[in-house]
Amino acid sequence: MLALLDHAPTYGYQLRGLMEATLGDPWVVNIGQIYSTLSRLERDGMVIRQPGVKVDVEDRTVYEITGTGKAELGQWFRQPLSRDYRLRDMVYAKLVLSHLSGSVSTEEVLQAQRRQLLNEMHEVTRMRAEAESKSDLPWVLLLESAVMHLEADLRWLEVCEARLEDLDTLPPPQFKGRPRGRPPKKK
Amino acid sequence: MLALLDHAPTYGYQLRGLMEATLGDPWVVNIGQIYSTLSRLERDGMVIRQPGVKVDVEDRTVYEITGTGKAELGQWFRQPLSRDYRLRDMVYAKLVLSHLSGSVSTEEVLQAQRRQLLNEMHEVTRMRAEAESKSDLPWVLLLESAVMHLEADLRWLEVCEARLEDLDTLPPPQFKGRPRGRPPKKK
DNA sequence: CGACACATGTAACACGTTACATGATTTG
DNA sequence: CAAATCATGTAACGTGTTACATGTGTCG
């Protein structure tokens, strides 16, 4: 939102439309969230509102980015994003936990996930072809990213499957609760 | 947490330890969250508490998974996870928005992200080697996944860089606000 | 005794999501 | 007029995160 306001001041309702036009369907948010986020941004000094500004003959509550907001935005742009959230991967958690819980077989979880990924791959490549025919470059790039990560997931599942037996031979993780009290001096 | 309780009933403090032992450091959560989540699970009938159970001579509030909880857990295991959150990729948003806002160059954002990914790749491969030397198979698999996705990100950045000029020639996205009122009958 | 880990919570805050309320304006 | 869209919000809910309060038991 700060980036959009940096491009040009606008009002809430239009911000939502710009967001969709700029970033595509996946970023469509509930309109209410636009306003609540604008309030928070205003609270934090990132934007200021210019009350009662005429836009096309009508009054709109237009917001403008402030110096603080521009600084924050610049920082956001320059600060690279960490990708290590992958370390908290839910599919990984499922596989490991299914092995522990035994209420379903790890194999079953893995197969279900593979089917899902193949479906999504099908869908995404279809969308990419459509985007390419429309020369919608940003959208093509995003779908390209999705394809690459789906491929990575699929290859990873292969690796996991190949080592399922190895996984079965491992002892279940233990966590022995020490008794209460100060731990004995380690050495 | 349901999966861990399905394996064996325990109390909050130990659940946290088990979580770390089973899934690794990235899943370490604040201990307070364990208790509040247990309360919610109890509220929703997923677990029941057995008050005043002796564990190693001492009283612990032990929780046990219920039939409802087991059903929910089974569903969670069988229901594959959607990966299309990738369509809401923040790096993509940054690239597109940097192109729009102009407060930084898209090239700069891209390079910063690439440096970050290379750093993470270095770190993750180091950790993977360490995990392999310890034969910690689950941890190796998780790090393998991280490597694959980092590779995908890096290759994607190459694709983006190759088409940066194409991106510059595109018109900025527009969102023309229609005037108020019922839209004219289309067709 | 005091530090330290075990153990169980509560409170505050942030944020995303959905639903709801309200009003203006224009077309059929 | 009624429906549909533009436009601005508020309220409720869920959940993650952090900080804080409180108490127990043991080792140095």
Side-chain angles (χ1 to χ4, degrees):
Chain A
M1 281 170 58
L2 284 180
L4 292 172
L5 287 175
D6 188 37
H7 178 241
T10 36
Y11 53 98
Y13 196 88
Q14 187 150 43
L15 252 184
R16 181 171 181 264
L18 281 169
M19 216 161 142
E20 178 171 356
T22 310
L23 294 173
D25 289 347
W27 268 273
V28 173
V29 294
N30 186 292
I31 177 66
Q33 199 175 334
I34 297 283
Y35 294 110
S36 51
T37 306
L38 277 175
S39 303
R40 264 181 276 137
L41 288 173
E42 190 183 21
R43 179 200 61 191
D44 299 341
M46 302 292 169
V47 301
I48 47 167
R49 83 167 68 189
Q50 308 170 323
V53 167
K54 291 266 185 289
V55 176
D56 287 337
V57 209
E58 309 194 37
D59 273 16
R60 299 285 176 267
T61 56
V62 166
Y63 287 83
E64 194 178 327
I65 191 169
T66 65
T68 314
K70 286 189 183 184
E72 180 72 20
L73 179 62
Q75 263 212 308
W76 183 70
F77 275 133
R78 262 171 278 265
Q79 185 70 48
L81 286 167
S82 166
R83 287 310 211 181
D84 55 21
Y85 60 81
R86 275 276 153 202
L87 297 180
R88 217 162 163 168
D89 190 308
M90 265 298 170
V91 177
Y92 166 77
K94 259 195 201 186
L95 289 178
V96 173
L97 290 172
S98 71
H99 180 246
L100 181 74
S101 140
S103 83
V104 287
S105 76
T106 308
E107 181 71 22
E108 193 179 340
V109 173
L110 204 148
Q111 294 301 343
Q113 188 63 37
R114 192 209 309 279
R115 276 194 300 276
Q116 170 77 15
L117 292 178
L118 289 173
N119 283 341
E120 291 188 10
M121 180 69 91
H122 193 260
E123 171 73 3
V124 170
T125 48
R126 191 192 58 73
M127 290 167 71
R128 187 181 54 175
E130 188 186 320
E132 256 162 0
S133 74
K134 285 198 258 177
S135 298
D136 185 349
L137 183 53
W139 195 231
V140 167
L141 287 176
L142 179 54
L143 293 171
E144 191 67 35
S145 164
V147 167
M148 285 172 164
H149 284 284
L150 284 172
E151 283 171 355
D153 273 329
L154 281 167
R155 274 186 290 122
W156 183 70
L157 285 184
E158 296 296 324
V159 173
C160 287
E161 197 167 20
R163 309 197 63 172
L164 267 187
E165 315 69 279
D166 299 355
L167 211 66
D168 284 334
T169 65
L170 286 178
Q174 302 251 341
F175 179 73
K176 190 70 202 81
R178 280 185 46 263
R180 270 183 180 151
R182 181 172 181 167
K185 181 119 186 282
K186 58 176 160 237
K187 172 49 187 305
Chain B
M1 281 171 58
L2 284 180
L4 291 172
L5 287 175
D6 188 35
H7 178 241
T10 36
Y11 53 100
Y13 196 88
Q14 186 150 44
L15 252 185
R16 181 172 181 263
L18 280 170
M19 216 160 141
E20 178 171 357
T22 310
L23 295 173
D25 289 347
W27 269 273
V28 173
V29 294
N30 186 292
I31 176 67
Q33 199 175 334
I34 298 282
Y35 294 110
S36 51
T37 305
L38 277 174
S39 304
R40 265 180 275 138
L41 287 174
E42 190 183 21
R43 178 200 62 190
D44 299 342
M46 303 292 168
V47 301
I48 47 166
R49 83 167 68 189
Q50 308 171 323
V53 168
K54 291 267 185 288
V55 177
D56 288 339
V57 209
E58 308 194 36
D59 273 16
R60 299 285 178 267
T61 55
V62 166
Y63 287 84
E64 194 178 327
I65 192 169
T66 65
T68 315
K70 286 190 183 184
E72 179 72 20
L73 179 63
Q75 263 212 308
W76 183 71
F77 274 134
R78 265 171 275 266
Q79 184 71 47
L81 287 167
S82 166
R83 287 310 213 183
D84 56 19
Y85 60 81
R86 275 276 153 201
L87 297 180
R88 217 162 165 169
D89 190 308
M90 266 298 169
V91 176
Y92 166 78
K94 259 195 199 184
L95 289 178
V96 173
L97 291 172
S98 71
H99 180 245
L100 181 75
S101 139
S103 83
V104 286
S105 76
T106 308
E107 181 71 22
E108 195 179 339
V109 174
L110 205 148
Q111 294 301 344
Q113 188 63 37
R114 191 208 309 280
R115 275 195 301 276
Q116 171 77 15
L117 292 178
L118 290 173
N119 282 341
E120 290 188 11
M121 180 69 90
H122 193 260
E123 171 74 2
V124 170
T125 48
R126 191 192 59 70
M127 289 167 72
R128 187 181 53 175
E130 188 185 320
E132 257 163 359
S133 74
K134 284 197 257 177
S135 299
D136 185 350
L137 183 53
W139 195 231
V140 167
L141 287 176
L142 178 55
L143 293 171
E144 192 67 34
S145 164
V147 167
M148 286 173 164
H149 284 283
L150 285 173
E151 283 172 355
D153 274 330
L154 281 167
R155 275 186 290 123
W156 183 70
L157 285 185
E158 295 297 324
V159 173
C160 287
E161 196 167 22
R163 310 198 62 171
L164 267 187
E165 324 56 289
D166 300 354
L167 211 66
D168 284 334
T169 64
L170 287 179
Q174 302 251 342
F175 179 74
K176 190 69 202 80
R178 281 184 46 264
R180 269 183 182 151
R182 181 172 180 168
K185 182 124 187 280
K186 60 180 160 228
K187 178 37 183 311

